[in-house]
Amino acid sequence: MTANLIRIVHTRRDGTLLEGSRKHDGASELVRPHGFRYFPSLGCLGITRSRDRQAQKWRIDSAAEALRAAGWHVEVEIDEDVRRSFAEAERTEQAEARAERFAGYADNAASRSQSLSDQAHGMASRIPFGQPVLVGHHSERADRRSRERISSAQDKSFAEAGKASHWADRERATASYETFRKSPRLTLRRIERLEADLRRVKKWRKGKSAGRFERDIANPETVTELDRRYLELTEEISFWRDIVKKAEANGHKFWGQCDFQKGDFARVRGRWYEVLRSNPKTLTVPRTLDPHNRVITRANCGERLVTHTIPYDEVFGHRSAEEQEAQMAAGDDQPPA
């Protein structure tokens, strides 16, 4: 690579990366205002959150102009077709690697904290318990220095203990990444959002307006980008639908319109609601302002009935009208744990 040459390369697989810069060469200060930062794991500069996304050309162009104005020779290379499939395995592996790394940080900090604490206790044990500084004695200066070292070691021990707690929290949060990301409720909402995006892309590809926006399909670059987005969305939706199928196979119940009829009861956030109407995506139920009412029916919501809708992914149980009446007769109006 020739001297004073910088390459800004974007692919959807790797994101936007800056090649050819060295530490303290001034390039970092020039491109940082344009969204670039240093990635220690890659050993280079890049734009944050640029993987799996279309190139942010306004950032790339403005960074290139800033570098050229400072005397750099800059080459820009953008290849949107180099991408990775929507395979969560890689993201999960990265999360697991981070969790393992954070666990190591926590263990090291805890070890340093314990070592410093032991050091402080060892020095303190050489001073008789309760003995003050002997002012005027020949040992006064050494005694004061010893007490300062004890205090410093204790402060450092507390600081390392705080670091250990911080990294332990990061480890727990990172370790729960896959469980949270693949939770059934979150997955259903994600699929619904992605399907809405896909419907918009389909309309744009036909030259129609969608989401109050239009796309210029006379522009070949726009058509190509819409084709890429269509492929990405269909691939991602397929992946999450497989997650739903696996959850169902493992016994998770996904409630839907076919599971409820008028007069049934649905358990939602610790309450049982009478179903007034089952819709394709929601249940229509009575609304109550009484926080102590555990069973909400049309009859106990006052003379003026107010309703609201509840998505099926917030439903955690079902009872028929007869089952609910039997529970009430037995004095049990509480949802099961």
Short mmCIF file of all heavy atoms in Angstrom, two decimals, residues 73-137:
data_model
loop_
_atom_site.label_atom_id
_atom_site.label_comp_id
_atom_site.label_asym_id
_atom_site.label_seq_id
_atom_site.Cartn_x
_atom_site.Cartn_y
_atom_site.Cartn_z
N HIS A 73 -4.46 10.65 0.40
CA HIS A 73 -5.05 10.09 -0.82
C HIS A 73 -6.06 9.04 -0.36
O HIS A 73 -5.71 8.10 0.36
CB HIS A 73 -3.98 9.44 -1.71
CG HIS A 73 -4.56 8.80 -2.93
ND1 HIS A 73 -5.19 9.52 -3.92
CD2 HIS A 73 -4.61 7.50 -3.32
CE1 HIS A 73 -5.60 8.70 -4.86
NE2 HIS A 73 -5.26 7.46 -4.52
N VAL A 74 -7.33 9.21 -0.74
CA VAL A 74 -8.40 8.36 -0.22
C VAL A 74 -9.07 7.61 -1.36
O VAL A 74 -9.45 8.20 -2.38
CB VAL A 74 -9.46 9.20 0.55
CG1 VAL A 74 -10.54 8.28 1.13
CG2 VAL A 74 -8.79 10.01 1.65
N GLU A 75 -9.24 6.30 -1.18
CA GLU A 75 -10.00 5.47 -2.09
C GLU A 75 -11.23 4.95 -1.36
O GLU A 75 -11.14 4.52 -0.21
CB GLU A 75 -9.17 4.29 -2.61
CG GLU A 75 -7.98 4.70 -3.46
CD GLU A 75 -7.17 3.50 -3.94
OE1 GLU A 75 -7.49 2.37 -3.50
OE2 GLU A 75 -6.23 3.70 -4.72
N VAL A 76 -12.38 4.99 -2.02
CA VAL A 76 -13.64 4.52 -1.43
C VAL A 76 -14.13 3.33 -2.24
O VAL A 76 -14.23 3.39 -3.47
CB VAL A 76 -14.70 5.63 -1.40
CG1 VAL A 76 -16.03 5.08 -0.88
CG2 VAL A 76 -14.24 6.79 -0.53
N GLU A 77 -14.43 2.26 -1.54
CA GLU A 77 -14.92 1.05 -2.20
C GLU A 77 -16.18 0.57 -1.47
O GLU A 77 -16.14 0.29 -0.28
CB GLU A 77 -13.86 -0.05 -2.18
CG GLU A 77 -14.29 -1.34 -2.86
CD GLU A 77 -13.22 -2.42 -2.78
OE1 GLU A 77 -12.03 -2.06 -2.65
OE2 GLU A 77 -13.58 -3.61 -2.83
N ILE A 78 -17.28 0.48 -2.21
CA ILE A 78 -18.56 0.05 -1.63
C ILE A 78 -19.08 -1.14 -2.42
O ILE A 78 -19.24 -1.06 -3.64
CB ILE A 78 -19.60 1.19 -1.64
CG1 ILE A 78 -19.12 2.35 -0.76
CG2 ILE A 78 -20.95 0.68 -1.15
CD1 ILE A 78 -20.03 3.57 -0.81
N ASP A 79 -19.32 -2.26 -1.73
CA ASP A 79 -19.87 -3.45 -2.37
C ASP A 79 -21.01 -3.96 -1.51
O ASP A 79 -20.80 -4.65 -0.51
CB ASP A 79 -18.79 -4.53 -2.52
CG ASP A 79 -19.26 -5.68 -3.40
OD1 ASP A 79 -20.49 -5.83 -3.58
OD2 ASP A 79 -18.40 -6.44 -3.90
N GLU A 80 -22.24 -3.62 -1.89
CA GLU A 80 -23.41 -3.98 -1.10
C GLU A 80 -23.77 -5.46 -1.23
O GLU A 80 -24.57 -5.98 -0.45
CB GLU A 80 -24.62 -3.13 -1.53
CG GLU A 80 -24.43 -1.64 -1.35
CD GLU A 80 -24.57 -1.19 0.10
OE1 GLU A 80 -24.72 -2.07 0.97
OE2 GLU A 80 -24.53 0.03 0.33
N ASP A 81 -23.22 -6.15 -2.22
CA ASP A 81 -23.59 -7.54 -2.45
C ASP A 81 -22.80 -8.52 -1.59
O ASP A 81 -23.15 -9.70 -1.52
CB ASP A 81 -23.39 -7.90 -3.93
CG ASP A 81 -24.37 -7.15 -4.82
OD1 ASP A 81 -25.54 -7.02 -4.41
OD2 ASP A 81 -23.96 -6.67 -5.90
N VAL A 82 -21.74 -8.05 -0.95
CA VAL A 82 -21.00 -8.92 -0.02
C VAL A 82 -21.69 -8.85 1.33
O VAL A 82 -21.61 -7.84 2.03
CB VAL A 82 -19.52 -8.48 0.10
CG1 VAL A 82 -18.80 -9.38 1.09
CG2 VAL A 82 -18.84 -8.51 -1.26
N ARG A 83 -22.41 -9.89 1.68
CA ARG A 83 -23.23 -9.87 2.88
C ARG A 83 -23.14 -11.21 3.59
O ARG A 83 -22.65 -12.19 3.04
CB ARG A 83 -24.69 -9.56 2.54
CG ARG A 83 -25.28 -10.49 1.51
CD ARG A 83 -26.70 -10.12 1.13
NE ARG A 83 -27.63 -10.34 2.22
CZ ARG A 83 -28.27 -11.49 2.43
NH1 ARG A 83 -28.06 -12.54 1.64
NH2 ARG A 83 -29.11 -11.60 3.44
N ARG A 84 -23.61 -11.23 4.80
CA ARG A 84 -23.71 -12.49 5.53
C ARG A 84 -25.19 -12.85 5.66
O ARG A 84 -26.05 -11.98 5.75
CB ARG A 84 -23.07 -12.39 6.91
CG ARG A 84 -23.63 -11.29 7.80
CD ARG A 84 -22.98 -11.30 9.16
NE ARG A 84 -23.53 -10.24 10.02
CZ ARG A 84 -23.26 -10.13 11.30
NH1 ARG A 84 -22.46 -10.99 11.88
NH2 ARG A 84 -23.79 -9.14 12.01
N SER A 85 -25.47 -14.13 5.68
CA SER A 85 -26.85 -14.57 5.85
C SER A 85 -27.31 -14.26 7.27
O SER A 85 -26.49 -14.09 8.18
CB SER A 85 -26.96 -16.07 5.58
OG SER A 85 -26.19 -16.79 6.54
N PHE A 86 -28.62 -14.22 7.42
CA PHE A 86 -29.14 -13.92 8.73
C PHE A 86 -29.06 -15.18 9.60
O PHE A 86 -30.03 -15.88 9.82
CB PHE A 86 -30.58 -13.42 8.66
CG PHE A 86 -31.06 -12.85 9.96
CD1 PHE A 86 -30.75 -11.56 10.32
CD2 PHE A 86 -31.82 -13.61 10.82
CE1 PHE A 86 -31.18 -11.04 11.52
CE2 PHE A 86 -32.26 -13.11 12.03
CZ PHE A 86 -31.94 -11.81 12.38
N ALA A 87 -27.87 -15.46 10.06
CA ALA A 87 -27.64 -16.62 10.92
C ALA A 87 -27.29 -16.11 12.30
O ALA A 87 -26.25 -15.48 12.49
CB ALA A 87 -26.50 -17.47 10.36
N GLU A 88 -28.16 -16.36 13.24
CA GLU A 88 -27.93 -15.87 14.60
C GLU A 88 -26.77 -16.58 15.28
O GLU A 88 -26.30 -16.15 16.31
CB GLU A 88 -29.19 -16.05 15.44
CG GLU A 88 -30.28 -15.10 15.06
CD GLU A 88 -29.89 -13.66 15.34
OE1 GLU A 88 -29.73 -13.29 16.50
OE2 GLU A 88 -29.75 -12.92 14.38
N ALA A 89 -26.30 -17.70 14.69
CA ALA A 89 -25.21 -18.43 15.32
C ALA A 89 -24.01 -17.54 15.53
O ALA A 89 -23.38 -17.55 16.60
CB ALA A 89 -24.83 -19.62 14.44
N GLU A 90 -23.67 -16.72 14.54
CA GLU A 90 -22.49 -15.85 14.66
C GLU A 90 -22.70 -14.83 15.76
O GLU A 90 -21.82 -14.59 16.58
CB GLU A 90 -22.22 -15.15 13.34
CG GLU A 90 -20.99 -14.23 13.39
CD GLU A 90 -20.69 -13.59 12.05
OE1 GLU A 90 -21.39 -13.90 11.08
OE2 GLU A 90 -19.76 -12.77 12.01
N ARG A 91 -23.91 -14.23 15.83
CA ARG A 91 -24.16 -13.23 16.85
C ARG A 91 -24.15 -13.86 18.23
O ARG A 91 -23.67 -13.28 19.20
CB ARG A 91 -25.51 -12.56 16.60
CG ARG A 91 -25.57 -11.81 15.29
CD ARG A 91 -26.86 -11.05 15.15
NE ARG A 91 -26.96 -10.41 13.84
CZ ARG A 91 -27.94 -9.60 13.49
NH1 ARG A 91 -28.90 -9.33 14.34
NH2 ARG A 91 -27.98 -9.06 12.29
N THR A 92 -24.69 -15.09 18.32
CA THR A 92 -24.70 -15.77 19.61
C THR A 92 -23.29 -16.12 20.04
O THR A 92 -22.93 -15.99 21.21
CB THR A 92 -25.55 -17.05 19.51
OG1 THR A 92 -26.87 -16.69 19.11
CG2 THR A 92 -25.61 -17.77 20.84
N GLU A 93 -22.47 -16.57 19.08
CA GLU A 93 -21.08 -16.87 19.40
C GLU A 93 -20.36 -15.63 19.89
O GLU A 93 -19.57 -15.68 20.84
CB GLU A 93 -20.38 -17.44 18.17
CG GLU A 93 -20.83 -18.86 17.82
CD GLU A 93 -20.28 -19.32 16.48
OE1 GLU A 93 -19.48 -18.56 15.90
OE2 GLU A 93 -20.65 -20.42 16.04
N GLN A 94 -20.64 -14.49 19.26
CA GLN A 94 -20.02 -13.26 19.72
C GLN A 94 -20.47 -12.92 21.13
O GLN A 94 -19.68 -12.49 21.97
CB GLN A 94 -20.38 -12.12 18.76
CG GLN A 94 -19.72 -12.23 17.40
CD GLN A 94 -20.16 -11.14 16.45
OE1 GLN A 94 -21.11 -10.40 16.73
NE2 GLN A 94 -19.48 -11.02 15.33
N ALA A 95 -21.76 -13.11 21.42
CA ALA A 95 -22.27 -12.83 22.76
C ALA A 95 -21.63 -13.76 23.78
O ALA A 95 -21.26 -13.33 24.88
CB ALA A 95 -23.79 -12.99 22.78
N GLU A 96 -21.48 -15.05 23.42
CA GLU A 96 -20.86 -15.99 24.34
C GLU A 96 -19.39 -15.64 24.57
O GLU A 96 -18.88 -15.76 25.69
CB GLU A 96 -20.98 -17.40 23.78
CG GLU A 96 -22.41 -17.93 23.78
CD GLU A 96 -22.54 -19.26 23.08
OE1 GLU A 96 -21.55 -19.67 22.42
OE2 GLU A 96 -23.60 -19.89 23.19
N ALA A 97 -18.71 -15.18 23.51
CA ALA A 97 -17.30 -14.78 23.67
C ALA A 97 -17.19 -13.56 24.57
O ALA A 97 -16.29 -13.47 25.41
CB ALA A 97 -16.68 -14.49 22.29
N ARG A 98 -18.11 -12.60 24.42
CA ARG A 98 -18.10 -11.43 25.30
C ARG A 98 -18.36 -11.82 26.74
O ARG A 98 -17.71 -11.32 27.66
CB ARG A 98 -19.14 -10.41 24.83
CG ARG A 98 -18.77 -9.66 23.57
CD ARG A 98 -19.63 -8.41 23.41
NE ARG A 98 -21.04 -8.73 23.31
CZ ARG A 98 -21.66 -9.03 22.18
NH1 ARG A 98 -20.99 -9.05 21.05
NH2 ARG A 98 -22.96 -9.29 22.17
N ALA A 99 -19.33 -12.73 26.95
CA ALA A 99 -19.63 -13.17 28.31
C ALA A 99 -18.42 -13.82 28.95
O ALA A 99 -18.10 -13.57 30.12
CB ALA A 99 -20.82 -14.13 28.30
N GLU A 100 -17.73 -14.64 28.17
CA GLU A 100 -16.53 -15.30 28.70
C GLU A 100 -15.44 -14.28 29.01
O GLU A 100 -14.75 -14.37 30.03
CB GLU A 100 -16.03 -16.33 27.68
CG GLU A 100 -14.84 -17.15 28.18
CD GLU A 100 -14.43 -18.21 27.17
OE1 GLU A 100 -15.21 -18.46 26.21
OE2 GLU A 100 -13.35 -18.79 27.34
N ARG A 101 -15.28 -13.29 28.15
CA ARG A 101 -14.27 -12.26 28.38
C ARG A 101 -14.61 -11.43 29.61
O ARG A 101 -13.74 -11.14 30.44
CB ARG A 101 -14.18 -11.36 27.14
CG ARG A 101 -13.03 -10.36 27.21
CD ARG A 101 -12.80 -9.70 25.87
NE ARG A 101 -13.87 -8.81 25.47
CZ ARG A 101 -14.72 -9.04 24.49
NH1 ARG A 101 -14.67 -10.18 23.81
NH2 ARG A 101 -15.68 -8.17 24.18
N PHE A 102 -15.88 -11.05 29.75
CA PHE A 102 -16.29 -10.27 30.92
C PHE A 102 -16.11 -11.06 32.20
O PHE A 102 -15.77 -10.50 33.25
CB PHE A 102 -17.75 -9.82 30.77
CG PHE A 102 -17.98 -8.86 29.64
CD1 PHE A 102 -19.23 -8.75 29.05
CD2 PHE A 102 -16.95 -8.07 29.16
CE1 PHE A 102 -19.44 -7.87 28.01
CE2 PHE A 102 -17.15 -7.19 28.11
CZ PHE A 102 -18.41 -7.09 27.53
N ALA A 103 -16.37 -12.38 32.14
CA ALA A 103 -16.17 -13.22 33.32
C ALA A 103 -14.70 -13.21 33.73
O ALA A 103 -14.38 -13.17 34.93
CB ALA A 103 -16.63 -14.65 33.04
N GLY A 104 -13.82 -13.23 32.73
CA GLY A 104 -12.39 -13.15 33.03
C GLY A 104 -12.02 -11.83 33.68
O GLY A 104 -11.24 -11.79 34.65
N TYR A 105 -12.57 -10.73 33.15
CA TYR A 105 -12.32 -9.42 33.75
C TYR A 105 -12.78 -9.39 35.20
O TYR A 105 -12.09 -8.86 36.09
CB TYR A 105 -13.05 -8.33 32.97
CG TYR A 105 -12.57 -8.10 31.56
CD1 TYR A 105 -13.35 -7.42 30.64
CD2 TYR A 105 -11.33 -8.58 31.12
CE1 TYR A 105 -12.93 -7.21 29.34
CE2 TYR A 105 -10.91 -8.37 29.82
CZ TYR A 105 -11.71 -7.69 28.94
OH TYR A 105 -11.29 -7.49 27.65
N ALA A 106 -13.97 -9.96 35.45
CA ALA A 106 -14.52 -9.95 36.81
C ALA A 106 -13.65 -10.76 37.75
O ALA A 106 -13.37 -10.33 38.89
CB ALA A 106 -15.95 -10.50 36.80
N ASP A 107 -13.20 -11.93 37.30
CA ASP A 107 -12.35 -12.78 38.15
C ASP A 107 -11.03 -12.08 38.46
O ASP A 107 -10.54 -12.12 39.60
CB ASP A 107 -12.08 -14.11 37.45
CG ASP A 107 -13.33 -14.98 37.40
OD1 ASP A 107 -14.26 -14.72 38.17
OD2 ASP A 107 -13.35 -15.92 36.57
N ASN A 108 -10.43 -11.46 37.44
CA ASN A 108 -9.16 -10.77 37.66
C ASN A 108 -9.32 -9.61 38.64
O ASN A 108 -8.48 -9.42 39.53
CB ASN A 108 -8.61 -10.25 36.33
CG ASN A 108 -8.18 -11.37 35.42
OD1 ASN A 108 -7.90 -12.48 35.87
ND2 ASN A 108 -8.12 -11.11 34.13
N ALA A 109 -10.38 -8.83 38.47
CA ALA A 109 -10.61 -7.70 39.38
C ALA A 109 -10.87 -8.18 40.79
O ALA A 109 -10.39 -7.59 41.77
CB ALA A 109 -11.78 -6.86 38.88
N ALA A 110 -11.63 -9.28 40.93
CA ALA A 110 -11.89 -9.82 42.26
C ALA A 110 -10.61 -10.32 42.91
O ALA A 110 -10.39 -10.12 44.13
CB ALA A 110 -12.91 -10.96 42.16
N SER A 111 -9.73 -10.93 42.12
CA SER A 111 -8.44 -11.40 42.67
C SER A 111 -7.58 -10.24 43.12
O SER A 111 -6.95 -10.29 44.18
CB SER A 111 -7.71 -12.23 41.60
OG SER A 111 -8.44 -13.39 41.27
N ARG A 112 -7.54 -9.18 42.31
CA ARG A 112 -6.76 -8.01 42.69
C ARG A 112 -7.33 -7.37 43.95
O ARG A 112 -6.58 -6.92 44.84
CB ARG A 112 -6.73 -6.99 41.55
CG ARG A 112 -5.93 -7.45 40.34
CD ARG A 112 -5.67 -6.29 39.38
NE ARG A 112 -6.91 -5.74 38.85
CZ ARG A 112 -7.48 -6.17 37.71
NH1 ARG A 112 -6.93 -7.16 37.03
NH2 ARG A 112 -8.59 -5.61 37.27
N SER A 113 -8.66 -7.31 44.04
CA SER A 113 -9.30 -6.73 45.23
C SER A 113 -8.93 -7.51 46.48
O SER A 113 -8.59 -6.94 47.51
CB SER A 113 -10.82 -6.71 45.05
OG SER A 113 -11.46 -6.25 46.22
N GLN A 114 -8.98 -8.86 46.38
CA GLN A 114 -8.66 -9.69 47.54
C GLN A 114 -7.19 -9.56 47.92
O GLN A 114 -6.84 -9.50 49.11
CB GLN A 114 -8.98 -11.16 47.23
CG GLN A 114 -8.83 -12.10 48.42
CD GLN A 114 -9.75 -11.74 49.56
OE1 GLN A 114 -10.94 -11.55 49.36
NE2 GLN A 114 -9.19 -11.60 50.77
N SER A 115 -6.32 -9.50 46.91
CA SER A 115 -4.89 -9.36 47.18
C SER A 115 -4.57 -8.04 47.89
O SER A 115 -3.80 -8.00 48.86
CB SER A 115 -4.11 -9.45 45.87
OG SER A 115 -2.73 -9.24 46.08
N LEU A 116 -5.20 -6.97 47.41
CA LEU A 116 -4.98 -5.66 48.04
C LEU A 116 -5.56 -5.62 49.45
O LEU A 116 -4.98 -5.03 50.36
CB LEU A 116 -5.62 -4.57 47.18
CG LEU A 116 -4.90 -4.25 45.87
CD1 LEU A 116 -5.82 -3.48 44.93
CD2 LEU A 116 -3.63 -3.46 46.14
N SER A 117 -6.71 -6.28 49.64
CA SER A 117 -7.31 -6.34 50.98
C SER A 117 -6.40 -7.10 51.94
O SER A 117 -6.18 -6.68 53.08
CB SER A 117 -8.69 -7.01 50.89
OG SER A 117 -9.28 -7.10 52.17
N ASP A 118 -5.87 -8.24 51.47
CA ASP A 118 -4.94 -9.01 52.31
C ASP A 118 -3.70 -8.22 52.64
O ASP A 118 -3.18 -8.26 53.77
CB ASP A 118 -4.56 -10.31 51.60
CG ASP A 118 -5.74 -11.27 51.45
OD1 ASP A 118 -6.73 -11.09 52.17
OD2 ASP A 118 -5.64 -12.18 50.59
N GLN A 119 -3.21 -7.47 51.66
CA GLN A 119 -2.03 -6.63 51.87
C GLN A 119 -2.30 -5.57 52.94
O GLN A 119 -1.47 -5.34 53.83
CB GLN A 119 -1.63 -5.97 50.56
CG GLN A 119 -0.41 -5.08 50.64
CD GLN A 119 -0.11 -4.41 49.30
OE1 GLN A 119 -0.55 -4.88 48.26
NE2 GLN A 119 0.64 -3.32 49.34
N ALA A 120 -3.48 -4.92 52.85
CA ALA A 120 -3.83 -3.89 53.83
C ALA A 120 -3.96 -4.50 55.23
O ALA A 120 -3.48 -3.93 56.21
CB ALA A 120 -5.13 -3.21 53.42
N HIS A 121 -4.61 -5.66 55.34
CA HIS A 121 -4.76 -6.31 56.64
C HIS A 121 -3.41 -6.73 57.21
O HIS A 121 -3.17 -6.66 58.42
CB HIS A 121 -5.68 -7.52 56.52
CG HIS A 121 -7.13 -7.17 56.44
ND1 HIS A 121 -7.82 -6.56 57.46
CD2 HIS A 121 -8.02 -7.32 55.43
CE1 HIS A 121 -9.07 -6.37 57.11
NE2 HIS A 121 -9.22 -6.80 55.86
N GLY A 122 -2.52 -7.21 56.32
CA GLY A 122 -1.19 -7.60 56.79
C GLY A 122 -0.42 -6.43 57.37
O GLY A 122 0.24 -6.56 58.41
N MET A 123 -0.47 -5.28 56.68
CA MET A 123 0.22 -4.10 57.21
C MET A 123 -0.44 -3.60 58.49
O MET A 123 0.25 -3.19 59.43
CB MET A 123 0.22 -3.00 56.14
CG MET A 123 1.12 -3.29 54.94
SD MET A 123 1.27 -1.89 53.80
CE MET A 123 -0.40 -1.85 53.12
N ALA A 124 -1.76 -3.66 58.54
CA ALA A 124 -2.46 -3.18 59.72
C ALA A 124 -2.20 -4.05 60.93
O ALA A 124 -2.21 -3.57 62.08
CB ALA A 124 -3.96 -3.11 59.44
N SER A 125 -1.97 -5.36 60.69
CA SER A 125 -1.75 -6.28 61.82
C SER A 125 -0.45 -5.98 62.55
O SER A 125 -0.27 -6.41 63.70
CB SER A 125 -1.74 -7.72 61.31
OG SER A 125 -0.63 -7.96 60.45
N ARG A 126 0.46 -5.26 61.91
CA ARG A 126 1.73 -4.92 62.56
C ARG A 126 1.61 -3.71 63.47
O ARG A 126 2.57 -3.33 64.15
CB ARG A 126 2.81 -4.70 61.50
CG ARG A 126 3.17 -5.98 60.74
CD ARG A 126 4.42 -5.81 59.92
NE ARG A 126 4.21 -4.97 58.76
CZ ARG A 126 3.82 -5.43 57.57
NH1 ARG A 126 3.59 -6.72 57.40
NH2 ARG A 126 3.67 -4.61 56.56
N ILE A 127 0.46 -3.05 63.46
CA ILE A 127 0.21 -1.91 64.34
C ILE A 127 -0.70 -2.38 65.47
O ILE A 127 -1.78 -2.90 65.20
CB ILE A 127 -0.44 -0.74 63.58
CG1 ILE A 127 0.46 -0.28 62.43
CG2 ILE A 127 -0.74 0.42 64.52
CD1 ILE A 127 -0.16 0.78 61.55
N PRO A 128 -0.30 -2.25 66.71
CA PRO A 128 -1.15 -2.68 67.83
C PRO A 128 -2.54 -2.07 67.73
O PRO A 128 -2.68 -0.88 67.40
CB PRO A 128 -0.41 -2.18 69.07
CG PRO A 128 1.02 -2.13 68.62
CD PRO A 128 0.99 -1.71 67.19
N PHE A 129 -3.56 -2.89 68.01
CA PHE A 129 -4.94 -2.45 67.87
C PHE A 129 -5.20 -1.23 68.75
O PHE A 129 -4.95 -1.25 69.97
CB PHE A 129 -5.89 -3.58 68.26
CG PHE A 129 -7.35 -3.21 68.11
CD1 PHE A 129 -7.94 -3.10 66.86
CD2 PHE A 129 -8.12 -2.93 69.22
CE1 PHE A 129 -9.27 -2.77 66.72
CE2 PHE A 129 -9.46 -2.58 69.10
CZ PHE A 129 -10.03 -2.51 67.85
N GLY A 130 -5.74 -0.17 68.13
CA GLY A 130 -6.10 1.03 68.89
C GLY A 130 -4.96 1.98 69.15
O GLY A 130 -5.16 3.06 69.72
N GLN A 131 -3.76 1.64 68.74
CA GLN A 131 -2.60 2.51 69.02
C GLN A 131 -2.62 3.71 68.09
O GLN A 131 -2.64 3.57 66.88
CB GLN A 131 -1.30 1.74 68.85
CG GLN A 131 -0.06 2.63 69.05
CD GLN A 131 1.22 1.84 68.91
OE1 GLN A 131 1.52 1.00 69.75
NE2 GLN A 131 1.98 2.08 67.85
N PRO A 132 -2.61 4.92 68.66
CA PRO A 132 -2.57 6.12 67.82
C PRO A 132 -1.16 6.39 67.31
O PRO A 132 -0.20 5.70 67.70
CB PRO A 132 -3.02 7.22 68.78
CG PRO A 132 -2.52 6.75 70.10
CD PRO A 132 -2.64 5.25 70.10
N VAL A 133 -1.03 7.38 66.43
CA VAL A 133 0.30 7.79 65.98
C VAL A 133 1.04 8.40 67.17
O VAL A 133 0.51 9.26 67.89
CB VAL A 133 0.20 8.83 64.85
CG1 VAL A 133 1.58 9.34 64.46
CG2 VAL A 133 -0.52 8.23 63.63
N LEU A 134 2.26 7.91 67.41
CA LEU A 134 3.05 8.40 68.54
C LEU A 134 3.78 9.66 68.11
O LEU A 134 4.90 9.62 67.57
CB LEU A 134 4.04 7.33 69.00
CG LEU A 134 3.39 5.99 69.43
CD1 LEU A 134 4.46 4.98 69.79
CD2 LEU A 134 2.43 6.21 70.58
N VAL A 135 3.12 10.81 68.31
CA VAL A 135 3.69 12.09 67.90
C VAL A 135 4.98 12.36 68.67
O VAL A 135 5.01 12.26 69.90
CB VAL A 135 2.67 13.22 68.12
CG1 VAL A 135 3.27 14.56 67.69
CG2 VAL A 135 1.38 12.94 67.35
N GLY A 136 6.03 12.70 67.92
CA GLY A 136 7.31 13.00 68.54
C GLY A 136 8.21 11.80 68.69
O GLY A 136 9.42 11.94 68.94
N HIS A 137 7.67 10.61 68.55
CA HIS A 137 8.47 9.40 68.68
C HIS A 137 9.29 9.21 67.40
O HIS A 137 8.92 9.68 66.31
CB HIS A 137 7.54 8.20 68.90
CG HIS A 137 8.25 6.95 69.33
ND1 HIS A 137 8.68 6.00 68.44
CD2 HIS A 137 8.60 6.51 70.56
CE1 HIS A 137 9.27 5.01 69.10
NE2 HIS A 137 9.21 5.29 70.42
#
